[in-house]
mmCIF file of all heavy atoms in Angstrom:
data_model
loop_
_atom_site.group_PDB
_atom_site.id
_atom_site.type_symbol
_atom_site.label_atom_id
_atom_site.label_comp_id
_atom_site.label_asym_id
_atom_site.label_seq_id
_atom_site.Cartn_x
_atom_site.Cartn_y
_atom_site.Cartn_z
ATOM 1 N N ALA A 1 -24.032 15.951 -35.339
ATOM 2 C CA ALA A 1 -23.310 14.902 -34.617
ATOM 3 C C ALA A 1 -23.130 13.645 -35.457
ATOM 4 O O ALA A 1 -22.257 12.823 -35.159
ATOM 5 C CB ALA A 1 -24.045 14.562 -33.323
ATOM 6 N N ASP A 2 -23.941 13.481 -36.519
ATOM 7 C CA ASP A 2 -23.792 12.303 -37.377
ATOM 8 C C ASP A 2 -22.711 12.486 -38.437
ATOM 9 O O ASP A 2 -22.536 11.637 -39.315
ATOM 10 C CB ASP A 2 -25.127 11.944 -38.047
ATOM 11 C CG ASP A 2 -25.678 13.075 -38.915
ATOM 12 O OD1 ASP A 2 -24.980 14.098 -39.090
ATOM 13 O OD2 ASP A 2 -26.805 12.934 -39.411
ATOM 14 N N GLY A 3 -21.968 13.604 -38.366
ATOM 15 C CA GLY A 3 -20.843 13.821 -39.271
ATOM 16 C C GLY A 3 -21.162 14.644 -40.498
ATOM 17 O O GLY A 3 -20.250 15.049 -41.230
ATOM 18 N N VAL A 4 -22.440 14.919 -40.732
ATOM 19 C CA VAL A 4 -22.824 15.707 -41.899
ATOM 20 C C VAL A 4 -22.667 17.197 -41.594
ATOM 21 O O VAL A 4 -23.004 17.657 -40.497
ATOM 22 C CB VAL A 4 -24.278 15.403 -42.320
ATOM 23 C CG1 VAL A 4 -24.694 16.274 -43.497
ATOM 24 C CG2 VAL A 4 -24.431 13.930 -42.658
ATOM 25 N N VAL A 5 -22.158 17.930 -42.565
ATOM 26 C CA VAL A 5 -22.061 19.382 -42.468
ATOM 27 C C VAL A 5 -22.963 19.981 -43.538
ATOM 28 O O VAL A 5 -22.724 19.806 -44.734
ATOM 29 C CB VAL A 5 -20.615 19.877 -42.660
ATOM 30 C CG1 VAL A 5 -20.573 21.406 -42.613
ATOM 31 C CG2 VAL A 5 -19.695 19.282 -41.606
ATOM 32 N N ASN A 6 -24.034 20.660 -43.101
ATOM 33 C CA ASN A 6 -24.937 21.333 -44.046
ATOM 34 C C ASN A 6 -24.412 22.729 -44.340
ATOM 35 O O ASN A 6 -24.201 23.529 -43.427
ATOM 36 C CB ASN A 6 -26.349 21.434 -43.475
ATOM 37 C CG ASN A 6 -27.038 20.090 -43.348
ATOM 38 O OD1 ASN A 6 -27.489 19.710 -42.278
ATOM 39 N ND2 ASN A 6 -27.113 19.348 -44.432
ATOM 40 N N ILE A 7 -24.183 22.996 -45.608
ATOM 41 C CA ILE A 7 -23.761 24.325 -46.052
ATOM 42 C C ILE A 7 -24.999 25.031 -46.573
ATOM 43 O O ILE A 7 -25.541 24.679 -47.623
ATOM 44 C CB ILE A 7 -22.676 24.214 -47.138
ATOM 45 C CG1 ILE A 7 -21.409 23.608 -46.531
ATOM 46 C CG2 ILE A 7 -22.397 25.576 -47.763
ATOM 47 C CD1 ILE A 7 -20.283 23.408 -47.517
ATOM 48 N N CYS A 8 -25.484 26.014 -45.811
ATOM 49 C CA CYS A 8 -26.768 26.652 -46.112
ATOM 50 C C CYS A 8 -26.544 28.002 -46.790
ATOM 51 O O CYS A 8 -25.801 28.847 -46.280
ATOM 52 C CB CYS A 8 -27.580 26.848 -44.839
ATOM 53 S SG CYS A 8 -27.914 25.310 -43.937
ATOM 54 N N GLU A 9 -27.183 28.171 -47.911
ATOM 55 C CA GLU A 9 -27.153 29.434 -48.655
ATOM 56 C C GLU A 9 -28.569 30.008 -48.685
ATOM 57 O O GLU A 9 -29.526 29.298 -49.004
ATOM 58 C CB GLU A 9 -26.647 29.201 -50.085
ATOM 59 C CG GLU A 9 -25.189 28.780 -50.159
ATOM 60 C CD GLU A 9 -24.245 29.971 -50.013
ATOM 61 O OE1 GLU A 9 -24.684 31.117 -50.267
ATOM 62 O OE2 GLU A 9 -23.074 29.756 -49.655
ATOM 63 N N MET A 10 -28.698 31.307 -48.384
ATOM 64 C CA MET A 10 -29.998 31.955 -48.316
ATOM 65 C C MET A 10 -30.229 32.791 -49.569
ATOM 66 O O MET A 10 -29.365 33.584 -49.955
ATOM 67 C CB MET A 10 -30.108 32.860 -47.086
ATOM 68 C CG MET A 10 -30.205 32.123 -45.765
ATOM 69 S SD MET A 10 -28.797 31.088 -45.385
ATOM 70 C CE MET A 10 -29.029 30.797 -43.657
ATOM 71 N N LYS A 11 -31.380 32.611 -50.191
ATOM 72 C CA LYS A 11 -31.702 33.309 -51.440
ATOM 73 C C LYS A 11 -33.093 33.938 -51.344
ATOM 74 O O LYS A 11 -34.098 33.231 -51.347
ATOM 75 C CB LYS A 11 -31.649 32.344 -52.632
ATOM 76 C CG LYS A 11 -30.307 31.625 -52.798
ATOM 77 C CD LYS A 11 -29.173 32.607 -53.048
ATOM 78 C CE LYS A 11 -27.831 31.895 -53.167
ATOM 79 N NZ LYS A 11 -26.710 32.861 -53.272
ATOM 80 N N TYR A 12 -33.117 35.260 -51.278
ATOM 81 C CA TYR A 12 -34.385 35.974 -51.255
ATOM 82 C C TYR A 12 -34.835 36.297 -52.675
ATOM 83 O O TYR A 12 -34.047 36.755 -53.507
ATOM 84 C CB TYR A 12 -34.259 37.277 -50.461
ATOM 85 C CG TYR A 12 -35.498 38.145 -50.568
ATOM 86 C CD1 TYR A 12 -36.568 37.960 -49.703
ATOM 87 C CD2 TYR A 12 -35.611 39.113 -51.575
ATOM 88 C CE1 TYR A 12 -37.722 38.728 -49.817
ATOM 89 C CE2 TYR A 12 -36.754 39.891 -51.693
ATOM 90 C CZ TYR A 12 -37.808 39.683 -50.817
ATOM 91 O OH TYR A 12 -38.941 40.439 -50.940
ATOM 92 N N SER A 13 -36.118 36.060 -52.952
ATOM 93 C CA SER A 13 -36.685 36.423 -54.244
ATOM 94 C C SER A 13 -38.201 36.485 -54.096
ATOM 95 O O SER A 13 -38.800 35.696 -53.374
ATOM 96 C CB SER A 13 -36.312 35.392 -55.317
ATOM 97 O OG SER A 13 -36.944 35.686 -56.545
ATOM 98 N N ARG A 14 -38.826 37.435 -54.786
ATOM 99 C CA ARG A 14 -40.285 37.514 -54.751
ATOM 100 C C ARG A 14 -40.920 36.383 -55.549
ATOM 101 O O ARG A 14 -42.083 36.047 -55.338
ATOM 102 C CB ARG A 14 -40.749 38.859 -55.324
ATOM 103 C CG ARG A 14 -40.395 40.057 -54.460
ATOM 104 C CD ARG A 14 -40.919 41.361 -55.038
ATOM 105 N NE ARG A 14 -40.398 41.615 -56.378
ATOM 106 C CZ ARG A 14 -41.110 41.558 -57.494
ATOM 107 N NH1 ARG A 14 -42.395 41.235 -57.441
ATOM 108 N NH2 ARG A 14 -40.568 41.819 -58.666
ATOM 109 N N LEU A 15 -40.133 35.794 -56.459
ATOM 110 C CA LEU A 15 -40.602 34.702 -57.308
ATOM 111 C C LEU A 15 -39.741 33.476 -57.048
ATOM 112 O O LEU A 15 -38.702 33.575 -56.383
ATOM 113 C CB LEU A 15 -40.509 35.118 -58.783
ATOM 114 C CG LEU A 15 -41.303 36.363 -59.179
ATOM 115 C CD1 LEU A 15 -40.954 36.777 -60.609
ATOM 116 C CD2 LEU A 15 -42.789 36.132 -59.029
ATOM 117 N N PRO A 16 -40.126 32.290 -57.540
ATOM 118 C CA PRO A 16 -39.240 31.134 -57.415
ATOM 119 C C PRO A 16 -37.837 31.473 -57.918
ATOM 120 O O PRO A 16 -37.674 32.118 -58.964
ATOM 121 C CB PRO A 16 -39.927 30.073 -58.285
ATOM 122 C CG PRO A 16 -41.375 30.420 -58.192
ATOM 123 C CD PRO A 16 -41.422 31.924 -58.167
ATOM 124 N N TYR A 17 -36.831 31.074 -57.158
ATOM 125 C CA TYR A 17 -35.445 31.489 -57.425
ATOM 126 C C TYR A 17 -34.845 30.692 -58.578
ATOM 127 O O TYR A 17 -34.961 29.457 -58.636
ATOM 128 C CB TYR A 17 -34.604 31.294 -56.170
ATOM 129 C CG TYR A 17 -33.182 31.762 -56.313
ATOM 130 C CD1 TYR A 17 -32.881 33.122 -56.292
ATOM 131 C CD2 TYR A 17 -32.142 30.848 -56.484
ATOM 132 C CE1 TYR A 17 -31.581 33.554 -56.432
ATOM 133 C CE2 TYR A 17 -30.843 31.283 -56.621
ATOM 134 C CZ TYR A 17 -30.561 32.634 -56.604
ATOM 135 O OH TYR A 17 -29.259 33.058 -56.742
ATOM 136 N N GLU A 18 -34.196 31.404 -59.482
ATOM 137 C CA GLU A 18 -33.516 30.756 -60.609
ATOM 138 C C GLU A 18 -32.032 30.636 -60.294
ATOM 139 O O GLU A 18 -31.327 31.652 -60.188
ATOM 140 C CB GLU A 18 -33.713 31.560 -61.894
ATOM 141 C CG GLU A 18 -33.067 30.900 -63.109
ATOM 142 C CD GLU A 18 -33.306 31.665 -64.396
ATOM 143 O OE1 GLU A 18 -33.950 32.739 -64.351
ATOM 144 O OE2 GLU A 18 -32.833 31.200 -65.461
ATOM 145 N N LEU A 19 -31.569 29.417 -60.136
ATOM 146 C CA LEU A 19 -30.161 29.180 -59.819
ATOM 147 C C LEU A 19 -29.358 29.168 -61.117
ATOM 148 O O LEU A 19 -29.422 28.219 -61.900
ATOM 149 C CB LEU A 19 -30.002 27.847 -59.078
ATOM 150 C CG LEU A 19 -28.596 27.514 -58.555
ATOM 151 C CD1 LEU A 19 -28.125 28.581 -57.572
ATOM 152 C CD2 LEU A 19 -28.593 26.147 -57.886
ATOM 153 N N THR A 20 -28.603 30.229 -61.350
ATOM 154 C CA THR A 20 -27.835 30.357 -62.582
ATOM 155 C C THR A 20 -26.511 29.609 -62.469
ATOM 156 O O THR A 20 -26.083 29.212 -61.381
ATOM 157 C CB THR A 20 -27.541 31.829 -62.880
ATOM 158 O OG1 THR A 20 -26.716 32.361 -61.813
ATOM 159 C CG2 THR A 20 -28.835 32.639 -62.961
ATOM 160 N N LEU A 21 -25.848 29.437 -63.603
ATOM 161 C CA LEU A 21 -24.530 28.795 -63.615
ATOM 162 C C LEU A 21 -23.545 29.591 -62.780
ATOM 163 O O LEU A 21 -22.760 29.011 -62.002
ATOM 164 C CB LEU A 21 -24.021 28.681 -65.055
ATOM 165 C CG LEU A 21 -22.585 28.149 -65.207
ATOM 166 C CD1 LEU A 21 -22.453 26.752 -64.627
ATOM 167 C CD2 LEU A 21 -22.171 28.174 -66.685
ATOM 168 N N ALA A 22 -23.567 30.926 -62.881
ATOM 169 C CA ALA A 22 -22.631 31.760 -62.131
ATOM 170 C C ALA A 22 -22.832 31.597 -60.626
ATOM 171 O O ALA A 22 -21.858 31.474 -59.869
ATOM 172 C CB ALA A 22 -22.809 33.229 -62.531
ATOM 173 N N GLU A 23 -24.095 31.561 -60.185
ATOM 174 C CA GLU A 23 -24.364 31.414 -58.751
ATOM 175 C C GLU A 23 -24.023 30.013 -58.285
ATOM 176 O O GLU A 23 -23.500 29.823 -57.179
ATOM 177 C CB GLU A 23 -25.821 31.741 -58.450
ATOM 178 C CG GLU A 23 -26.154 31.809 -56.970
ATOM 179 C CD GLU A 23 -25.308 32.823 -56.207
ATOM 180 O OE1 GLU A 23 -25.030 33.905 -56.766
ATOM 181 O OE2 GLU A 23 -24.915 32.509 -55.063
ATOM 182 N N ALA A 24 -24.290 29.005 -59.118
ATOM 183 C CA ALA A 24 -23.929 27.623 -58.772
ATOM 184 C C ALA A 24 -22.418 27.498 -58.600
ATOM 185 O O ALA A 24 -21.930 26.827 -57.676
ATOM 186 C CB ALA A 24 -24.432 26.666 -59.841
ATOM 187 N N ASP A 25 -21.659 28.160 -59.471
ATOM 188 C CA ASP A 25 -20.196 28.123 -59.370
ATOM 189 C C ASP A 25 -19.720 28.783 -58.075
ATOM 190 O O ASP A 25 -18.786 28.297 -57.423
ATOM 191 C CB ASP A 25 -19.569 28.840 -60.572
ATOM 192 C CG ASP A 25 -19.666 28.025 -61.853
ATOM 193 O OD1 ASP A 25 -19.923 26.801 -61.756
ATOM 194 O OD2 ASP A 25 -19.480 28.607 -62.948
ATOM 195 N N LYS A 26 -20.371 29.891 -57.676
ATOM 196 C CA LYS A 26 -19.999 30.567 -56.429
ATOM 197 C C LYS A 26 -20.239 29.668 -55.221
ATOM 198 O O LYS A 26 -19.407 29.600 -54.306
ATOM 199 C CB LYS A 26 -20.803 31.861 -56.277
ATOM 200 C CG LYS A 26 -20.409 32.966 -57.226
ATOM 201 C CD LYS A 26 -21.296 34.195 -56.998
ATOM 202 C CE LYS A 26 -20.988 35.291 -57.996
ATOM 203 N NZ LYS A 26 -21.886 36.467 -57.802
ATOM 204 N N ILE A 27 -21.366 28.973 -55.213
ATOM 205 C CA ILE A 27 -21.676 28.083 -54.088
ATOM 206 C C ILE A 27 -20.658 26.960 -54.001
ATOM 207 O O ILE A 27 -20.163 26.621 -52.919
ATOM 208 C CB ILE A 27 -23.108 27.529 -54.233
ATOM 209 C CG1 ILE A 27 -24.136 28.663 -54.067
ATOM 210 C CG2 ILE A 27 -23.375 26.431 -53.200
ATOM 211 C CD1 ILE A 27 -25.557 28.258 -54.380
ATOM 212 N N GLN A 28 -20.314 26.391 -55.136
ATOM 213 C CA GLN A 28 -19.333 25.304 -55.142
ATOM 214 C C GLN A 28 -17.948 25.808 -54.756
ATOM 215 O O GLN A 28 -17.189 25.088 -54.087
ATOM 216 C CB GLN A 28 -19.311 24.650 -56.522
ATOM 217 C CG GLN A 28 -20.600 23.865 -56.808
ATOM 218 C CD GLN A 28 -20.617 23.222 -58.181
ATOM 219 O OE1 GLN A 28 -20.199 23.829 -59.168
ATOM 220 N NE2 GLN A 28 -21.103 21.996 -58.254
ATOM 221 N N TYR A 29 -17.614 27.028 -55.139
ATOM 222 C CA TYR A 29 -16.332 27.626 -54.736
ATOM 223 C C TYR A 29 -16.257 27.758 -53.216
ATOM 224 O O TYR A 29 -15.239 27.429 -52.590
ATOM 225 C CB TYR A 29 -16.179 28.995 -55.400
ATOM 226 C CG TYR A 29 -14.995 29.797 -54.915
ATOM 227 C CD1 TYR A 29 -13.707 29.500 -55.359
ATOM 228 C CD2 TYR A 29 -15.159 30.846 -54.001
ATOM 229 C CE1 TYR A 29 -12.611 30.242 -54.911
ATOM 230 C CE2 TYR A 29 -14.083 31.588 -53.547
ATOM 231 C CZ TYR A 29 -12.809 31.281 -54.013
ATOM 232 O OH TYR A 29 -11.731 32.004 -53.569
ATOM 233 N N ARG A 30 -17.348 28.217 -52.596
ATOM 234 C CA ARG A 30 -17.387 28.363 -51.141
ATOM 235 C C ARG A 30 -17.288 27.000 -50.456
ATOM 236 O O ARG A 30 -16.594 26.845 -49.445
ATOM 237 C CB ARG A 30 -18.675 29.073 -50.713
ATOM 238 C CG ARG A 30 -18.788 30.499 -51.208
ATOM 239 C CD ARG A 30 -20.185 31.045 -51.032
ATOM 240 N NE ARG A 30 -20.369 32.311 -51.727
ATOM 241 C CZ ARG A 30 -21.475 32.684 -52.324
ATOM 242 N NH1 ARG A 30 -22.550 31.898 -52.305
ATOM 243 N NH2 ARG A 30 -21.559 33.846 -52.934
ATOM 244 N N GLU A 31 -17.976 26.007 -51.012
ATOM 245 C CA GLU A 31 -17.921 24.667 -50.437
ATOM 246 C C GLU A 31 -16.505 24.115 -50.489
ATOM 247 O O GLU A 31 -16.007 23.543 -49.501
ATOM 248 C CB GLU A 31 -18.884 23.744 -51.186
ATOM 249 C CG GLU A 31 -18.923 22.323 -50.631
ATOM 250 C CD GLU A 31 -19.861 21.422 -51.417
ATOM 251 O OE1 GLU A 31 -20.185 21.763 -52.574
ATOM 252 O OE2 GLU A 31 -20.260 20.374 -50.870
ATOM 253 N N GLN A 32 -15.826 24.278 -51.607
ATOM 254 C CA GLN A 32 -14.460 23.765 -51.738
ATOM 255 C C GLN A 32 -13.504 24.504 -50.802
ATOM 256 O O GLN A 32 -12.605 23.894 -50.213
ATOM 257 C CB GLN A 32 -13.991 23.892 -53.194
ATOM 258 C CG GLN A 32 -14.723 22.979 -54.169
ATOM 259 C CD GLN A 32 -14.629 21.510 -53.767
ATOM 260 O OE1 GLN A 32 -13.556 21.013 -53.426
ATOM 261 N NE2 GLN A 32 -15.766 20.822 -53.791
ATOM 262 N N ALA A 33 -13.682 25.814 -50.651
ATOM 263 C CA ALA A 33 -12.837 26.576 -49.731
ATOM 264 C C ALA A 33 -13.026 26.078 -48.301
ATOM 265 O O ALA A 33 -12.056 25.937 -47.540
ATOM 266 C CB ALA A 33 -13.171 28.065 -49.828
ATOM 267 N N PHE A 34 -14.263 25.817 -47.939
ATOM 268 C CA PHE A 34 -14.540 25.298 -46.596
ATOM 269 C C PHE A 34 -13.866 23.949 -46.383
ATOM 270 O O PHE A 34 -13.250 23.704 -45.331
ATOM 271 C CB PHE A 34 -16.053 25.174 -46.394
ATOM 272 C CG PHE A 34 -16.435 24.556 -45.072
ATOM 273 C CD1 PHE A 34 -16.460 25.321 -43.924
ATOM 274 C CD2 PHE A 34 -16.763 23.205 -44.980
ATOM 275 C CE1 PHE A 34 -16.814 24.757 -42.700
ATOM 276 C CE2 PHE A 34 -17.106 22.634 -43.766
ATOM 277 C CZ PHE A 34 -17.129 23.414 -42.615
ATOM 278 N N LEU A 35 -13.948 23.067 -47.364
ATOM 279 C CA LEU A 35 -13.344 21.739 -47.237
ATOM 280 C C LEU A 35 -11.828 21.820 -47.154
ATOM 281 O O LEU A 35 -11.192 21.059 -46.406
ATOM 282 C CB LEU A 35 -13.769 20.861 -48.414
ATOM 283 C CG LEU A 35 -15.234 20.392 -48.393
ATOM 284 C CD1 LEU A 35 -15.611 19.761 -49.724
ATOM 285 C CD2 LEU A 35 -15.465 19.421 -47.245
ATOM 286 N N ARG A 36 -11.205 22.730 -47.893
ATOM 287 C CA ARG A 36 -9.743 22.873 -47.838
ATOM 288 C C ARG A 36 -9.293 23.324 -46.458
ATOM 289 O O ARG A 36 -8.255 22.865 -45.959
ATOM 290 C CB ARG A 36 -9.275 23.883 -48.892
ATOM 291 C CG ARG A 36 -9.215 23.336 -50.299
ATOM 292 C CD ARG A 36 -8.428 24.257 -51.210
ATOM 293 N NE ARG A 36 -9.018 25.585 -51.305
ATOM 294 C CZ ARG A 36 -9.935 25.934 -52.199
ATOM 295 N NH1 ARG A 36 -10.373 25.029 -53.082
ATOM 296 N NH2 ARG A 36 -10.420 27.158 -52.232
ATOM 297 N N GLU A 37 -10.059 24.202 -45.828
ATOM 298 C CA GLU A 37 -9.652 24.729 -44.529
ATOM 299 C C GLU A 37 -10.156 23.885 -43.367
ATOM 300 O O GLU A 37 -9.792 24.130 -42.213
ATOM 301 C CB GLU A 37 -10.135 26.171 -44.392
ATOM 302 C CG GLU A 37 -9.472 27.103 -45.402
ATOM 303 C CD GLU A 37 -9.890 28.554 -45.268
ATOM 304 O OE1 GLU A 37 -10.217 28.972 -44.126
ATOM 305 O OE2 GLU A 37 -9.897 29.274 -46.284
ATOM 306 N N ASN A 38 -11.001 22.903 -43.669
ATOM 307 C CA ASN A 38 -11.527 21.999 -42.638
ATOM 308 C C ASN A 38 -11.434 20.560 -43.158
ATOM 309 O O ASN A 38 -12.452 19.911 -43.422
ATOM 310 C CB ASN A 38 -12.977 22.354 -42.302
ATOM 311 C CG ASN A 38 -13.139 23.743 -41.728
ATOM 312 O OD1 ASN A 38 -13.015 23.956 -40.527
ATOM 313 N ND2 ASN A 38 -13.413 24.713 -42.610
ATOM 314 N N PRO A 39 -10.215 20.046 -43.319
ATOM 315 C CA PRO A 39 -10.028 18.728 -43.962
ATOM 316 C C PRO A 39 -10.668 17.563 -43.210
ATOM 317 O O PRO A 39 -10.920 16.517 -43.806
ATOM 318 C CB PRO A 39 -8.503 18.588 -44.009
ATOM 319 C CG PRO A 39 -7.983 19.523 -42.964
ATOM 320 C CD PRO A 39 -8.943 20.662 -42.939
#
């Protein structure tokens, strides 16, 4: 209600998760797609 939209990504791993460049790019791609369709 305060205007913030949390974009939650779930990552399962037996060890601490390593966020790679490729995965970071995918998350940002999804965020941008969401913003384009929800201006």
